[in-house]
Amino acid sequence: MAANYWESTQRRHWQSTREQLDVLRKKLEDEDQNLVQMYPLAQLRHLSIYFNQQIGRLAKRLGVRQQAMATAQLYIRRFYSKVEIRRTNPYLVIATAVYLACKMEECPHHIRLVVSEGRTLWPDFFSSDTSKLGECEFFLISEMSSQMIVHHPYRSLTALQGTFSLTQEESVLAWSIINDQCMTDLPLLYAPHIIAIMAILLALVPRPNQTGAQSANNSAGNIASAAHAALSSFSQPKAGAPEKQGGGARTKLQRLANWLAESNIDIEAIVDCTQELISFYEVYEQYNEKLTREQINRFVKARGLDK
Amino acid sequence: MSNPPSSGGGPSSVSASRTQTLKRSVQQAFDDPNDRGVGPNMGYQSKVRVIDRYKVIGFISSGTYGRVYKAVGRHGQTGEFAIKKFKPDKEGEQIQYTGISQSAVREMALCSELSHVNVIRLVEIILEDKCIFMVLEYAEHDLLQIIHHHTQPTRHPIPPATVKSIMFQLLNGCQYLHANWVLHRDLKPANIMVTSSGEVRIGDLGLARLFNKPLHSLFSGDKVVVTIWYRAPELLLGSRHYTPAIDMWAVGCIFAELLSLRPIFKGEEAKMDSKKTVPFQRNQMQKIVEIMGLPRKEQWPHLVNMPEYAQLTTLSASSHHRNGGSSLEKWYYSTINSHSASSIPSSNASLGSEGYKLLSGLLEYDPEKRLTAQAALNHSFFQSGDKVSANCFEGMKMEYPHRRVSQDDNDIRTSSLPGTKRSGLPDDSRPGKRLKE
């Protein structure tokens, strides 16, 4: 339920294993083999990065908060686990998801405003007809079976930052890592508290050249290597706690490791989350915005989905 | 008999040549042959059709949100169903997708998430032909209907065991909602359903919302909440701080109404003026003060911070109220003893002093001191006397009349009905909410 993740529709209906997710997506592609062959697309992670950028642009114009953006991203991810992307106009889906997420997160915007901003951002791919967005809202809600209450890791992060005495900087970094994981499948795979702990872990691992990494994805390589180090420290727990000079973060890391060892939390899951995010950061390096955009625009135009 | 033309050829203006029996017209509210909305591209079309899955057997009620119908499943689904059809934004004209209202989105999301024996159960939501159909379990009774029955032909009290069971189940549902950060915000007898097996179900979450989303203050959205007779004093005094306590005040009012069979604070609503400023509900506050006495800052420290605090001084308290005395206790005992003279064995006198303590705990002025749902469940009222039954009708010889379901669906076409109209209840002029038949 709303306060209880364990009873939530998110856990009961929208959490799956990687294998299940793969089967779902494979099935969608198989059902539309012609489309898939005719319109090649970048890998899903790159599409997610692109969607995230577009959501960010729209959200900026509307003054939407991060949490509503995260909700919109999860709606889109759920939707595209059930509907082949080449059958849709992703720009319309993005705007609709933002419109709906804002209502759910209690920061609503008028449909006309959302449409006019969408029109400004994507003039060649976005109809000025508000009923198109209204129709897409039905589509979106229907595919989600009206299950629109979502649980994000932000709340767990807020609850845990005191437990691990995170500094302002560490909290901000963990927060931005949570933002980044919205571009991965993690929200469909793991409970929000698992993801929050992963973010805290990554925020605490010492980085080789510690700059005030605002957005984690700028220093993907750094984080990746540091996280690998942290993971290996987990594989040899309580091995004489190397907390000589490392200072605050290292002690905190040790505290996190001890805390995890005493909890019932699935360490494997956290390791897996960490790896997923690291490989996402690696993939991010190869992201080609122009190519991704052109591929999307091509099928939208060719199939007249912008009409 | 044919249907009057709908205002402007809306969804329900089916071809005139069609023979329209009354029964048919009910079905037609679901059956819109116009514009199935299949565009060349990503036109949305529902995977299931309401009329393929359910057979509509009548009309139950209508309100600002839309209309409710009674239905049975066509594919062996057990039980009966209430289908709530949300009114499209602009009825009468060719319907268009205009974006779903925030309150409908909230209700859909919350109902999909909630699952509790004392909260109405959602079966499914079907989005079809630009309309939203929420399929809910059907409940044969509601508290308004039950209370009304006890005024006919003369007043006779609801048996104490029934009152106790209803209150326990109602509080149990509230406790679940509040534990899940859901405020109902519109608790009143008409929204408390009772199944034929005596189980209480809190219904109509149309105004409900989560109170863990502080992105905007809870005040900024919809300014006026809760039917006026059940509105908590802090809301009447302009509080912007919503808490579960507002639901608990309403529960207290419902408790009182179950005992006396009349709304305890039956005020008249002051209408919004042309500037759309929310007026101080003087008459409603006056009704509360008449029984509860004037609130005092000694018993309610934050009282002085209420936006409408100054208005309180303009209210007249009767002489013994002037120093803040409450006559709730007197009201309570005269209410529960009033029927005993007429030698009806089921007098509510047996509810005793524990009943008064529960009532006064719920009708506490200070929202911070008001009983929470959890505290009320643990109240000695439920520990004393007979065991509380999960079936509020247990031991009853009579059966309440069934909900009236109308085949006369003409009202469905007239879109301009204000407030709620329900089938079959000649009602005591509830303010702006119902029309007499």
Side-chain angles (χ1 to χ4, degrees):
Chain A
M1 195 14 248
N4 184 346
Y5 164 76
W6 301 102
E7 312 254 305
S8 67
T9 52
Q10 177 164 334
R11 190 182 100 90
R12 288 182 293 134
H13 302 294
W14 295 100
Q15 214 91 81
S16 57
T17 63
R18 252 195 204 89
E19 293 70 32
Q20 290 166 328
L21 209 49
D22 288 343
V23 169
L24 267 178
R25 288 176 178 151
K26 179 80 169 44
K27 187 166 150 270
L28 285 181
E29 293 209 336
D30 289 350
E31 283 167 3
D32 273 309
Q33 276 186 25
N34 283 343
L35 278 182
V36 171
Q37 275 160 18
M38 212 180 307
Y39 304 106
L41 284 178
Q43 59 163 299
L44 186 59
R45 283 160 169 166
H46 284 175
L47 294 176
S48 301
I49 295 168
Y50 183 70
F51 292 165
N52 181 50
Q53 289 174 328
Q54 304 308 312
I55 290 172
R57 293 173 69 205
L58 179 60
K60 195 172 171 194
R61 298 186 69 96
L62 294 168
V64 173
R65 302 243 248 152
Q66 179 58 47
Q67 184 137 335
M69 286 171 60
T71 299
Q73 277 170 292
L74 189 47
Y75 288 172
I76 293 169
R77 192 164 293 277
R78 287 179 177 183
F79 182 73
Y80 283 136
S81 74
K82 299 206 151 188
V83 179
E84 165 55 40
I85 182 171
R86 296 164 184 86
R87 292 189 159 273
T88 69
N89 175 352
Y91 299 103
L92 183 59
V93 172
I94 286 169
T96 307
V98 169
Y99 170 65
L100 184 60
C102 285
K103 285 190 278 196
M104 275 314 297
E105 300 294 342
E106 300 293 346
C107 51
H109 287 290
H110 199 282
I111 189 168
R112 279 199 300 270
L113 179 66
V114 177
V115 166
S116 88
E117 295 298 350
R119 188 90 188 122
T120 311
L121 285 173
W122 312 294
D124 297 333
F125 302 92
F126 205 86
S127 164
S128 57
D129 180 359
T130 52
S131 72
K132 287 284 168 203
L133 196 133
E135 180 177 31
C136 188
E137 182 178 34
F138 267 49
F139 199 1
L140 192 58
I141 293 176
S142 176
E143 291 300 335
M144 293 199 295
S145 311
S146 305
Q147 289 151 0
M148 296 177 276
I149 294 176
V150 298
H151 296 253
H152 292 302
Y154 301 109
R155 194 192 297 154
S156 305
L157 171 61
T158 311
L160 288 172
Q161 58 195 8
T163 309
F164 300 114
S165 325
L166 299 189
T167 63
Q168 173 83 16
E169 194 186 344
E170 287 157 352
S171 286
V172 168
L173 183 55
W175 187 278
S176 69
I177 290 167
I178 292 175
N179 296 348
D180 290 342
Q181 63 84 39
C182 294
M183 290 178 273
T184 71
D185 279 334
L186 287 178
L188 295 183
L189 300 173
Y190 290 108
H193 68 277
I194 297 284
I195 296 170
I197 292 167
M198 175 276 289
I200 293 171
L201 166 69
L202 286 184
L204 288 177
V205 292
R207 262 157 295 284
N209 52 346
Q210 194 134 20
T211 52
Q214 269 292 321
S215 174
N217 51 50
N218 292 335
S219 49
N222 292 347
I223 294 211
S225 55
H228 275 305
L231 286 178
S232 59
S233 85
F234 270 139
S235 59
Q236 41 202 275
K238 295 169 189 154
E243 49 182 287
K244 293 161 246 162
Q245 1 96 323
R250 181 146 302 189
T251 319
K252 288 176 197 169
L253 204 54
Q254 192 56 48
R255 198 195 298 173
L256 174 62
N258 294 342
W259 183 86
L260 278 173
E262 284 167 22
S263 73
N264 291 325
I265 290 166
D266 180 0
I267 307 252
E268 278 304 305
I270 293 175
V271 171
D272 189 53
C273 269
T274 312
Q275 276 163 347
E276 174 72 30
L277 194 69
I278 291 164
S279 59
F280 168 75
Y281 285 140
E282 285 160 0
V283 163
Y284 204 113
E285 315 258 285
Q286 289 112 49
Y287 171 61
N288 181 334
E289 182 183 345
K290 185 162 172 287
L291 177 68
T292 309
R293 181 175 55 237
E294 283 169 359
Q295 288 174 327
I296 290 173
N297 293 357
R298 190 169 148 251
F299 76 76
V300 173
K301 273 291 171 209
R303 307 197 66 229
L305 298 168
D306 52 332
K307 295 297 185 308
Chain B
M1 185 175 171
S2 66
N3 282 304
S6 66
S7 42
S12 28
S13 67
V14 220
S15 80
S17 62
R18 217 154 161 183
T19 328
Q20 294 181 349
T21 64
L22 286 174
K23 195 152 190 176
R24 245 211 112 88
S25 71
V26 173
Q27 195 61 268
Q28 273 157 10
F30 289 81
D31 186 11
D32 171 13
N34 293 342
D35 185 16
R36 294 205 46 84
V38 202
N41 306 315
M42 59 176 293
Y44 169 74
Q45 190 171 14
S46 179
K47 288 171 191 162
V48 287
R49 297 195 59 181
V50 174
I51 55 156
D52 291 342
R53 287 181 59 73
Y54 300 94
K55 181 168 179 285
V56 176
I57 56 181
F59 163 75
I60 297 174
S61 65
S62 74
T64 41
Y65 54 82
R67 301 180 180 96
V68 183
Y69 301 87
K70 184 176 179 180
V72 291
R74 287 188 193 275
H75 304 288
Q77 302 102 308
T78 44
E80 296 167 311
F81 304 94
I83 303 183
K84 185 169 177 176
K85 179 186 182 183
F86 285 81
K87 189 157 65 184
D89 235 17
K90 284 180 195 156
E91 216 169 12
E93 298 164 34
Q94 182 70 38
I95 353 175
Q96 285 239 332
Y97 289 108
T98 51
I100 302 171
S101 73
Q102 193 184 12
S103 61
V105 168
R106 281 188 197 128
E107 185 174 3
M108 293 162 76
L110 281 171
C111 287
S112 304
E113 205 74 24
L114 296 168
S115 167
H116 187 268
V117 64
N118 297 123
V119 176
I120 202 83
R121 184 173 59 90
L122 176 76
V123 177
E124 62 178 324
I125 297 176
I126 297 174
L127 297 146
E128 182 186 339
D129 284 337
K130 301 169 185 158
C131 287
I132 300 166
F133 300 90
M134 281 182 75
V135 183
L136 301 150
E137 68 173 321
Y138 175 76
E140 194 61 76
H141 313 282
D142 60 62
L143 291 189
L144 182 61
Q145 196 194 59
I146 287 172
I147 289 166
H148 176 77
H149 181 74
H150 281 269
T151 63
Q152 303 290 329
T154 56
R155 291 183 179 267
H156 54 290
I158 302 174
T162 301
V163 172
K164 212 175 230 192
S165 172
I166 289 172
M167 283 305 293
F168 189 86
Q169 297 188 58
L170 173 56
L171 287 164
N172 202 31
C174 280
Q175 193 278 332
Y176 170 79
L177 293 179
H178 293 168
N180 284 291
W181 293 330
V182 177
L183 294 182
H184 186 283
R185 305 201 301 172
D186 195 21
L187 292 175
K188 56 182 175 184
N191 286 345
I192 314 297
M193 309 294 152
V194 184
T195 66
S196 49
S197 55
E199 291 181 320
V200 172
R201 307 266 203 262
I202 296 175
D204 198 347
L205 283 101
L207 277 180
R209 57 179 289 186
L210 292 170
F211 58 98
N212 66 329
K213 300 242 178 256
L215 291 184
H216 275 219
S217 96
L218 273 172
F219 178 73
S220 63
D222 5 43
K223 292 192 178 169
V224 181
V225 173
V226 179
T227 308
I228 187 144
W229 298 342
Y230 308 92
R231 200 174 292 169
E234 64 270 26
L235 293 179
L236 294 170
L237 292 173
S239 167
R240 286 142 199 252
H241 201 70
Y242 286 37
T243 67
I246 64 162
D247 285 344
M248 300 316 294
W249 178 272
V251 170
C253 296
I254 292 168
F255 184 23
E257 196 164 335
L258 289 171
L259 299 176
S260 77
L261 309 174
R262 301 182 172 90
I264 181 171
F265 308 125
K266 196 172 172 181
E268 277 163 37
E269 183 152 19
K271 296 281 171 261
M272 235 177 253
D273 63 21
S274 52
K275 288 171 201 142
K276 293 230 167 153
T277 51
V278 184
F280 174 60
Q281 297 290 348
R282 176 181 315 280
N283 187 267
Q284 181 61 31
M285 195 68 215
Q286 176 70 46
K287 297 286 177 194
I288 294 174
V289 166
E290 276 164 21
I291 292 178
M292 306 301 299
L294 277 167
R296 290 167 302 143
K297 59 177 183 296
E298 296 76 35
Q299 60 175 157
W300 183 1
H302 288 300
L303 178 64
V304 293
N305 306 324
M306 293 286 143
E308 306 279 11
Y309 175 61
Q311 299 271 10
L312 274 182
T313 58
T314 67
L315 291 179
S316 53
S318 65
S319 54
H320 79 283
H321 287 145
R322 206 148 282 147
N323 45 7
S326 160
S327 54
L328 183 66
E329 190 163 7
K330 209 174 127 205
W331 180 94
Y332 175 77
Y333 284 108
S334 71
T335 300
I336 63 167
N337 292 317
S338 67
H339 305 282
S340 50
S342 55
S343 77
I344 290 167
S346 62
S347 153
N348 274 318
S350 67
L351 294 174
S353 62
E354 296 303 335
Y356 169 67
K357 285 180 202 152
L358 176 63
L359 182 64
S360 63
L362 292 167
L363 296 179
E364 162 66 52
Y365 265 129
D366 184 348
E368 287 177 27
K369 291 188 199 138
R370 201 172 298 151
L371 285 177
T372 63
Q374 186 60 63
L377 283 172
N378 295 331
H379 197 277
S380 50
F381 177 69
F382 297 111
Q383 265 86 59
S384 62
D386 295 337
K387 204 167 139 270
V388 180
S389 172
N391 169 6
C392 72
F393 301 144
E394 194 169 282
M396 276 183 120
K397 291 189 192 77
M398 50 82 73
E399 198 187 333
Y400 288 103
H402 287 193
R403 189 181 293 286
R404 242 172 66 189
V405 173
S406 148
Q407 292 297 320
D408 177 2
D409 196 37
N410 290 343
D411 293 329
I412 269 174
R413 309 279 187 266
T414 50
S415 54
S416 55
L417 278 178
T420 308
K421 183 173 171 63
R422 52 158 64 196
S423 171
L425 245 195
D427 192 11
D428 55 343
S429 62
R430 304 214 157 217
K433 291 289 167 192
R434 305 227 161 71
L435 300 174
K436 291 198 175 184
E437 284 233 311

